[in-house]
Amino acid sequence: MSKDFLEDEEQEFHLQDYIRRCLRYWYLFPVFVVLALTIAFFYLQITQPVYSAKTTLLIKDEEKGLGGSQGDMLSELSNQFGGNKLVENEVEILKSQTLMEQVVKDLGLEVGYSSKDGLKTIDLYGISPIIVKPEVITNYGLAEPMTIHLVDSLRFRFNDEDSSHFFGQRFNNAWGAFIVTKGKISKFDDVNVNFGHIINLAQGMLARLSVQQPNIKSTVIELTYEDISIQRGKDVLNKLLDVYVQSSLSDKNNEASNTLKFIETRLGLITGELGDVEKDVESYKTTKGITDISAESQLFLENIKENDAKLNEVNTQISILESVDKYIKNAGEGAVAPATYMINDPVLISLLTKFNELELQRERYARTTTLNNPLLQTINTQLDGTRQAIRENVQNLRRGMDVTKQNLQGINTKFSAGLRSIPQKEREFVGIKRQQSIKENLYLYLLQKREETALMYASTVTDSRLIDAPISTYNPIKPKRPFIWAGSLAAGIIIPLILINLIFLLNNTVQNREEIEKTTHASILGEIGQMKTAKGDPGEDAIIKMTSRSAVAEQFRALRTNLQYLGDGSCRTLMFTSSIGGEGKSFVSINLAASLAYSDKRVLLIGLDLRKPTLHERLQVPNQYGVSNCLIGQGKPSDFIQTTIIHPKFDVLTSGPIPPNPSELLSNGRLPLLLKELRNEYDYILIDSPPYGLVTDSSLIAEHVDATLYLVRFNYTLVDHLKRIGELQRAKRFSNLSVIFNGVNYGAGYGYGYGYGGYGYGYYGDDKENKVQGIGYRLRKMVGKA
């Protein structure tokens, strides 16, 4: 049979056999189930429950709906499948480190309070009997918790200190500098105080914060926060929304604030100039004695006043254009934004409005993103383009204003020439009065713009609206008790299965009859089950009472019956061998000989294991003389054959003194003559030989026997040893080779022990070494691998 075919057969899977093998380790399942459920119980007792707080927020989209059907279809598709950029930006702002750090500071979360209640740890947020106000916290304080023990309503102790302190005092110790005040009435007297770093706390809180957009087509944001404290979860969401709104309002009021600063500056200058002009009028009238002006002078004055007003307006516009140009050049360096209300050009107003919006966006993103963020780089590019457009527009307007100014100055020159015809006093008075009127008009104009800007500043509203206030779940979301119990129960079943399969994988010994048949292709003459003995002691416990009706006794009777099918049915000289020691050669040969004797057959058991004989110990007979004496010609077999106490027809020829050269002794030619002589006196001759896998003695003996019975022991013989039996079978090295499957475990509830000394790989070692190896053998046997 080919090697590939053998491998295919070895890979067959039998479910019933697999279940039967698993049931041998049935005791692992209740042990691990109880252990897993116990661990689950303590886990649920120790683990603090986690609750979820949730709130929803609407982000107002001012551009939503504008344009109607004129909107770009591609833009709508982009929003539908790519998300709303406005909402995505606000989501990132809500998840920013800066906002969460402000939440930690405002709520005082850098100090945590907890207490022990049995196995559980109770978080004391909002119900702590003490309040710690930190000033400076050391690295040791950040790493180690501090315990405060309440002595009474006025005093407390730190950690294991004996001295007590009063509330309200300032303390300096290894944790830092802080003040301890009295908190709320609580049943907990021992409080653990944990100091945390604001940055680390904010990062941990952000990890428990979820900001999502439930519907991609809407601008509603859902915020979810997980915490072991129900109240703290809601407080964090409330404070986060407050900080977010304040940050948004601060950005929107920035432009109005800059405009108010500009107007206030101009008002201060105009107020001073107006006061100086009024003093000049009063002084001139007093000095010159002027009380009225002629109708002609009055008309002339009105024309000059109108022209001067236009000229002043032009100068104001030029001043505004200069401030705009200065603002554009120094934007981003603390420059004050110009007043857009005093600019008449709609294009410039539009550009300035766009520039201010972009500048505000850039400042907002600069606080929450890195410099390499593509969105920030895009805004910077738009700012540069808008700045260039503003400067070009300002230059064009400035050229126009310069031309207008020149024209107005020319008109003024004409009016001044006309005034020369007016008496000097009156002309000087008109000049002073004209300056007063101009300053008054400008002063009133600035007052009006200031009120308008202040009204806009006061009416600024946020771009978001709270839909649902933060609410928390009634039941904890973690740990999920049903899943923990179910998981622990599953683990209690799966872990033993894994261990059992691991044992199967590591176990390279023979486990069933099919393995023997598939690998060796030799016939199995019989199976011998496990036999219980008293603590494994050698002697009579290793010999079965053949008159009993035990299962093992019946198996030996069946084996005795199957001997007639060996070869042509005339096999009377049988050799017992195995791959290694400890597979049951002596045990099987003794009990088979006893079974044959009880069937009225004369049986002789020969101990040809000349290296480590054990038959005389098991049968309790002397071993001073034996077969080794016969092989060296010191006497006849009848001189050394002994009768056993098991049955009168059961004789034994022990090995005798251990020779120094067993192999040479077996091959000196006397063995076939010995067997020929003994065949005439006995119906069956059974030979207990050394293991074939360790020495060559069995090969020498096999040449003179009728059949060879090869012992394979359950859960002991290595699978690789079966290949050697297959090679012997194919090469016909042993005549009439058959296998006896020994020590078979037919169920999970049977004990096992032969009670005879085992062979091992250290077959030729001394007895002391074998006793030491016996401990290792027992340990290997526990996992099913000897």
Side-chain angles (χ1 to χ4, degrees):
M1 184 174 295
S2 65
K3 183 178 180 181
D4 294 338
F5 181 72
L6 289 175
E7 291 178 353
D8 291 341
E9 286 188 333
E10 290 177 359
Q11 293 176 358
E12 292 182 2
F13 176 76
H14 299 283
L15 180 60
Q16 293 181 350
D17 181 62
Y18 175 77
I19 295 175
R20 185 172 63 252
R21 292 175 64 187
C22 289
L23 288 178
R24 291 170 50 200
Y25 304 94
W26 63 269
Y27 52 87
L28 292 177
F29 292 95
V31 170
F32 276 92
V33 166
V34 172
L35 181 61
L37 293 177
T38 303
I39 293 174
F41 172 77
F42 283 104
Y43 172 79
L44 293 175
Q45 290 295 317
I46 295 173
T47 304
Q48 293 178 280
V50 178
Y51 300 88
S52 175
K54 183 175 67 174
T55 184
T56 51
L57 187 68
L58 173 66
I59 304 300
K60 299 177 183 178
D61 190 354
E62 298 179 355
E63 298 180 359
K64 185 176 181 180
L66 297 179
S69 60
Q70 298 177 358
D72 188 359
M73 183 176 296
L74 294 177
S75 176
E76 293 179 1
L77 290 175
S78 175
N79 289 336
Q80 182 175 359
F81 297 102
N84 192 319
K85 297 299 181 183
L86 174 65
V87 177
E88 293 175 0
N89 294 337
E90 299 304 316
V91 167
E92 294 301 322
I93 293 174
L94 285 168
K95 294 166 61 177
S96 65
Q97 177 82 11
T98 304
L99 294 187
M100 191 57 74
E101 288 179 6
Q102 189 62 43
V103 171
V104 174
K105 294 176 183 177
D106 293 348
L107 293 179
L109 300 181
E110 64 271 22
V111 182
Y113 309 94
S114 62
S115 183
K116 283 286 186 179
D117 185 12
L119 295 176
K120 295 183 178 180
T121 299
I122 307 300
D123 187 84
L124 300 180
Y125 175 79
I127 58 172
S128 174
I130 55 100
I131 302 296
V132 177
K133 299 178 181 179
E135 296 177 359
V136 178
I137 302 301
T138 62
N139 292 331
Y140 178 81
L142 294 175
E144 296 294 333
M146 179 177 64
T147 303
I148 295 179
H149 308 279
L150 296 181
V151 177
D152 50 38
S153 60
L154 300 176
R155 296 176 300 165
F156 64 91
R157 291 185 292 107
F158 287 115
N159 301 312
D160 297 328
E161 295 180 359
D162 296 330
S163 60
S164 60
H165 309 277
F166 289 95
F167 288 105
Q169 297 180 356
R170 186 179 184 276
F171 299 95
N172 286 290
N173 55 20
W175 283 264
F178 50 85
I179 298 174
V180 181
T181 60
K182 189 170 180 58
K184 296 185 178 180
I185 299 176
S186 176
K187 65 178 182 179
F188 300 102
D189 294 331
D190 299 329
V191 180
N192 294 323
V193 181
N194 296 276
F195 299 103
H197 197 281
I198 292 179
I199 296 178
N200 296 335
L201 290 173
Q203 291 175 348
M205 294 170 65
L206 286 174
R208 302 194 300 272
L209 175 68
S210 173
V211 183
Q212 296 179 343
Q213 185 179 3
N215 189 345
I216 197 172
K217 296 182 180 180
S218 69
T219 59
V220 175
I221 296 177
E222 183 179 85
L223 289 83
T224 305
Y225 182 73
E226 298 178 359
D227 202 303
I228 58 176
S229 171
I230 296 177
Q231 187 59 42
R232 183 166 55 203
K234 294 190 292 186
D235 289 349
V236 167
L237 288 181
N238 278 320
K239 182 56 66 174
L240 178 62
L241 294 179
D242 291 342
V243 174
Y244 166 73
V245 169
Q246 294 299 324
S247 175
S248 177
L249 290 177
S250 177
D251 290 340
K252 298 192 72 174
N253 289 331
N254 191 29
E255 180 183 357
S257 176
N258 291 337
T259 303
L260 281 174
K261 291 179 181 178
F262 175 79
I263 294 175
E264 291 292 347
T265 302
R266 297 298 299 171
L267 275 175
L269 295 175
I270 296 301
T271 301
E273 294 176 359
L274 182 60
D276 294 339
V277 172
E278 290 177 345
K279 289 181 181 179
D280 291 342
V281 172
E282 180 182 0
S283 176
Y284 188 81
K285 283 186 176 183
T286 304
T287 305
K288 302 298 182 179
I290 297 176
T291 58
D292 196 5
I293 302 175
S294 63
E296 182 180 359
S297 298
Q298 185 67 32
L299 179 60
F300 207 79
L301 179 61
E302 290 176 357
N303 292 332
I304 293 177
K305 186 189 299 184
E306 181 180 358
N307 190 70
D308 285 342
K310 293 179 180 180
L311 183 60
N312 190 68
E313 183 178 356
V314 170
N315 289 330
T316 302
Q317 291 294 325
I318 291 175
S319 176
I320 292 173
L321 291 177
E322 290 176 351
S323 66
V324 169
D325 187 68
K326 181 179 178 182
Y327 170 74
I328 293 301
K329 289 180 180 179
N330 301 323
E333 301 178 359
V336 179
T340 57
Y341 305 105
M342 303 172 67
I343 300 175
N344 297 326
D345 186 76
V347 176
L348 181 57
I349 293 175
S350 175
L351 290 174
L352 283 174
T353 302
K354 181 179 179 181
F355 182 85
N356 291 332
E357 292 176 352
L358 290 173
E359 184 68 17
L360 290 175
Q361 290 183 12
R362 187 188 67 80
E363 291 179 2
R364 181 182 301 178
Y365 293 141
R367 292 196 298 267
T368 58
T369 61
T370 62
L371 295 177
N372 296 327
N373 188 284
L375 184 59
L376 185 59
Q377 293 177 357
T378 301
I379 293 176
N380 288 332
T381 303
Q382 293 178 0
L383 276 171
D384 292 338
T386 307
R387 181 184 287 110
Q388 183 61 30
I390 291 174
R391 296 191 67 179
E392 291 176 357
N393 187 272
V394 167
Q395 291 175 1
N396 294 332
L397 291 175
R398 179 62 184 272
R399 286 193 292 269
M401 291 294 177
D402 290 338
V403 174
T404 303
K405 182 177 179 180
Q406 292 176 1
N407 294 334
L408 291 175
Q409 287 176 346
I411 296 174
N412 265 350
T413 302
K414 294 179 181 178
F415 287 151
S416 297
L419 283 175
R420 291 190 185 95
S421 60
I422 301 175
Q424 176 122 16
K425 270 199 248 185
E426 193 172 0
R427 182 167 55 83
E428 291 176 356
F429 178 75
V430 170
I432 296 173
K433 193 68 176 177
R434 180 180 61 187
Q435 292 296 324
Q436 181 186 15
S437 178
I438 292 172
K439 300 300 180 184
E440 287 178 353
N441 292 334
L442 183 57
Y443 181 77
L444 293 175
Y445 175 78
L446 290 174
L447 285 177
Q448 179 183 356
K449 293 302 179 182
R450 185 179 67 175
E451 293 302 318
E452 292 176 358
T453 305
L455 181 61
M456 184 189 70
Y457 184 86
S459 61
T460 302
V461 294
T462 180
D463 290 335
S464 61
R465 179 170 66 88
L466 182 64
I467 298 178
D468 292 325
I471 56 174
S472 179
T473 56
Y474 179 76
N475 296 318
I477 60 172
K478 298 176 186 177
K480 299 184 182 295
R481 290 179 173 269
F483 290 100
I484 296 296
W485 289 115
S488 61
L489 182 61
I493 298 174
I494 294 174
I495 292 177
L497 284 176
I498 294 175
L499 291 177
I500 292 171
N501 282 277
L502 185 61
I503 292 174
F504 290 165
L505 291 175
L506 298 177
N507 190 351
N508 58 350
T509 59
V510 178
Q511 296 294 315
N512 52 59
R513 179 189 183 111
E514 288 75 14
E515 287 182 322
I516 302 174
E517 294 175 341
K518 293 175 184 178
T519 306
T520 65
H521 297 280
S523 61
I524 298 179
L525 192 64
E527 292 184 4
I528 306 298
Q530 291 180 341
M531 184 182 119
K532 295 182 179 180
T533 62
K535 299 182 180 179
D537 296 332
E540 292 183 352
D541 290 337
I543 301 174
I544 301 171
K545 294 181 180 179
M546 290 302 163
T547 56
S548 70
R549 306 300 300 174
S550 65
V552 178
E554 289 295 338
Q555 287 175 326
F556 274 107
R557 294 188 189 101
L559 179 61
R560 179 187 67 192
T561 303
N562 292 339
L563 292 178
Q564 61 183 322
Y565 300 109
L566 278 175
D568 57 359
S570 61
C571 298
R572 296 295 180 264
T573 305
L574 310 177
M575 181 185 74
F576 293 83
T577 188
S578 63
S579 300
I580 57 175
E583 294 181 291
K585 300 184 306 300
S586 300
F587 171 76
V588 174
S589 60
I590 290 173
N591 286 284
L592 181 59
S595 179
L596 289 169
Y598 273 95
S599 65
D600 201 27
K601 303 290 185 183
R602 284 186 56 81
V603 183
L604 175 64
L605 178 59
I606 303 177
L608 279 180
D609 188 350
L610 302 181
R611 301 175 185 271
K612 192 174 182 180
T614 59
L615 283 179
H616 62 283
E617 296 177 356
R618 302 177 186 281
L619 296 174
Q620 298 181 357
V621 295
N623 192 35
Q624 296 178 353
Y625 304 98
V627 68
S628 60
N629 300 97
C630 297
L631 293 178
I632 61 177
Q634 288 185 351
K636 296 180 180 180
S638 57
D639 298 335
F640 309 116
I641 294 176
Q642 305 177 63
T643 301
T644 64
I645 61 175
I646 299 175
H647 195 277
K649 292 189 175 184
F650 180 7
D651 296 338
V652 60
L653 179 58
T654 61
S655 61
I658 298 177
N661 53 348
S663 298
E664 289 76 6
L665 194 62
L666 291 172
S667 60
N668 63 7
R670 288 190 174 92
L671 179 61
L673 298 176
L674 175 65
L675 294 177
K676 182 178 180 181
E677 181 181 349
L678 295 175
R679 284 191 183 98
N680 297 327
E681 301 180 13
Y682 292 94
D683 298 322
Y684 283 94
I685 299 175
L686 307 184
I687 299 175
D688 182 16
S689 67
Y692 169 76
L694 300 178
V695 293
T696 60
D697 296 2
S698 297
S699 300
L700 299 174
I701 301 171
E703 299 176 0
H704 312 294
V705 300
D706 299 330
T708 299
L709 302 182
Y710 207 106
L711 270 295
V712 174
R713 179 174 164 184
F714 171 82
N715 207 30
Y716 187 90
T717 302
L718 301 179
V719 176
D720 291 340
H721 292 165
L722 298 181
K723 299 178 181 178
R724 186 178 302 164
I725 302 175
E727 294 174 357
L728 294 174
Q729 175 73 0
R730 288 191 294 272
K732 308 227 180 259
R733 294 278 301 277
F734 291 170
S735 59
N736 298 320
L737 176 64
S738 295
V739 175
I740 296 178
F741 194 20
N742 184 31
V744 181
N745 182 7
Y746 293 102
Y750 290 89
Y752 174 47
Y754 284 108
Y756 56 86
Y759 287 92
Y761 288 105
Y763 179 78
Y764 297 105
D766 55 17
D767 293 336
K768 292 183 179 180
E769 293 179 352
N770 289 336
K771 291 179 180 178
V772 174
Q773 292 175 355
I775 299 176
Y777 163 74
R778 290 185 178 91
L779 293 176
R780 291 193 300 272
K781 188 170 178 291
M782 290 178 63
V783 297
K785 180 179 178 181

